[in-house]
Amino acid sequence: MTVSLVNATIAGLNATTTYSSVLEEVAKYNVHLNWAERLWAAWYLWMQNDVLATGIMAFVMHEIVYFGRSLPWIIIDSIPYFNKYKLQNQKLPTWKEQWDCTVLVLLSHCTVELPQIWLFHPIATYFGMDYGVPFPKMSTMALQIGVFFILEDAWHYWFHRALHYGPLYKNIHKLHHTYSAPFGLAAEYASPIEAMLLGFGIVGIPIVWVSVIGDLHLLTMFAWIVLRLFQAIDAHSGYDFPWSLRHVLPFWAGADHHDLHHEKFIGNYASSFRWWDYCLDTEAGLEANKKRREKKLAEIRAKKGQ
């Protein structure tokens, strides 16, 4: 937060006790800030504890986005019209399955993810993350989020693939495969070890980025997490619509990519993009298997012809 903002605002906070009054003081002395920046600055000034301020904001944001984005898929599952877009339309989640999933996910959020969220601020700021105002340019945020998507996808591919190795699958990853026909709420239905291991790709990569590049804002981090949550929940939704993003961006993974992974229990290990599975021949499904057979037959014919 800029020194001028802090000094000018704190000077007028002697008898201030409410957030709205802090916001008034921020607006009075910082007319150059937009409304979002004023709300942000007032929150940190009112809290008087940056770690607590970031922790509360991050946890509440995560819960609202996760369950808020899952809700439309719960509604869609209950409307027969959308069944034609369901990838495994013979397997609709029951209310009990969704309730059991919600309970475990909430428990994981409060016991596994909450401590990590609380530790994020001191660790990230130690390595140089900014959380003040004004906010970074949209172009800067977009570039960094794009890089995070690419790097996280690589991290997810290799560690997700490793989790399908016998003992690791049995002791860590099997829980996530409880549902062979996934649904939105199941995106974070996972063991604590898996949540931390794959979660590092989402949270740890930006921290490594700022420690090397020296440029990252907390708002960029929040935007990245929101978009990654949307991607994860949509990928587990079990629905592929004509307007789904993969039909616009052919390299985008989408629900059909991950749904096959849950159905076949192997292949399609990447999170957001298709290129790792394509290049390393780990695509799942009938079409991919057909191509492999054709490739092997071609190799056999070539050897016989020599």
Side-chain angles (χ1 to χ4, degrees):
M1 208 152 303
T2 60
V3 176
S4 59
L5 166 63
V6 174
N7 292 342
T9 306
I10 289 179
L13 294 182
N14 296 330
T16 299
T17 55
T18 65
Y19 174 75
S20 59
S21 56
V22 175
L23 181 59
E24 287 179 10
E25 291 294 326
V26 170
K28 183 192 302 181
Y29 293 106
N30 302 276
V31 294
H32 62 288
L33 300 178
N34 62 43
W35 67 270
E37 291 168 337
R38 293 175 187 180
L39 290 170
W40 181 283
W43 168 251
Y44 277 94
L45 287 166
W46 181 61
M47 287 297 296
Q48 293 294 300
N49 184 320
D50 296 344
V51 174
L52 192 61
T54 298
I56 291 173
M57 191 158 49
F59 185 74
V60 171
M61 177 201 73
H62 183 273
E63 299 310 289
I64 290 174
V65 172
Y66 188 85
F67 292 105
R69 183 55 186 163
S70 296
L71 182 60
W73 297 117
I74 296 172
I75 296 170
I76 287 171
D77 275 331
S78 65
I79 301 174
Y81 170 79
F82 292 107
N83 192 247
K84 61 185 177 182
Y85 299 114
K86 182 76 172 173
L87 291 158
Q88 298 184 61
N89 56 18
Q90 75 283 7
K91 298 179 183 177
L92 286 171
T94 65
W95 287 108
K96 184 181 185 304
E97 285 176 329
Q98 295 189 76
W99 173 252
D100 290 345
C101 180
T102 300
V103 171
L104 189 140
V105 167
L106 264 175
L107 181 64
S108 176
H109 286 180
C110 294
T111 58
V112 179
E113 295 186 19
L114 185 58
Q116 296 176 65
I117 289 173
W118 231 254
L119 288 170
F120 171 76
H121 183 97
I123 294 173
T125 51
Y126 173 81
F127 285 105
M129 184 190 73
D130 181 21
Y131 59 100
V133 289
F135 293 150
K137 294 179 180 179
M138 290 295 292
S139 57
T140 300
M141 292 177 63
L143 175 62
Q144 292 178 351
I145 291 171
V147 171
F148 296 159
F149 262 110
I150 292 170
L151 295 178
E152 189 278 335
D153 184 67
W155 175 274
H156 191 100
Y157 175 87
W158 287 106
F159 280 91
H160 185 193
R161 185 173 176 178
L163 287 175
H164 276 262
Y165 169 69
L168 295 180
Y169 179 83
K170 181 180 178 181
N171 296 297
I172 300 174
H173 192 50
K174 188 176 180 179
L175 178 64
H176 184 67
H177 277 274
T178 300
Y179 307 106
S180 59
F183 48 93
L185 280 168
E188 292 186 351
Y189 188 86
S191 71
I193 296 175
E194 179 175 348
M196 289 187 286
L197 181 63
L198 297 183
F200 181 85
I202 299 171
V203 179
I205 284 175
I207 292 177
V208 174
W209 166 274
V210 72
S211 68
V212 175
I213 305 299
D215 180 25
L216 178 67
H217 195 280
L218 179 58
L219 183 66
T220 305
M221 188 68 190
F222 281 174
W224 151 240
I225 290 174
V226 167
L227 291 173
R228 183 62 178 82
L229 280 173
F230 267 63
Q231 183 280 327
I233 294 164
D234 290 359
H236 285 83
S237 69
Y239 287 88
D240 185 45
F241 298 107
W243 55 86
S244 294
L245 185 58
R246 78 173 186 94
H247 297 294
V248 180
L249 300 175
F251 53 82
W252 184 254
D256 74 308
H257 183 267
H258 197 65
D259 201 272
L260 270 174
H261 173 77
H262 275 262
E263 183 182 6
K264 305 300 181 184
F265 291 91
I266 193 168
N268 288 7
Y269 300 113
S271 57
S272 299
F273 306 110
R274 295 174 183 261
W275 47 61
W276 282 104
D277 287 294
Y278 176 81
C279 292
L280 297 175
D281 197 24
T282 53
E283 291 180 298
L286 294 175
E287 189 64 30
N289 289 334
K290 182 182 176 182
K291 289 179 180 178
R292 288 190 195 100
R293 286 196 300 270
E294 290 174 349
K295 184 179 178 181
K296 286 181 180 179
L297 286 171
E299 289 174 353
I300 292 171
R301 292 193 192 100
K303 286 181 180 179
K304 287 182 177 179
Q306 288 178 351

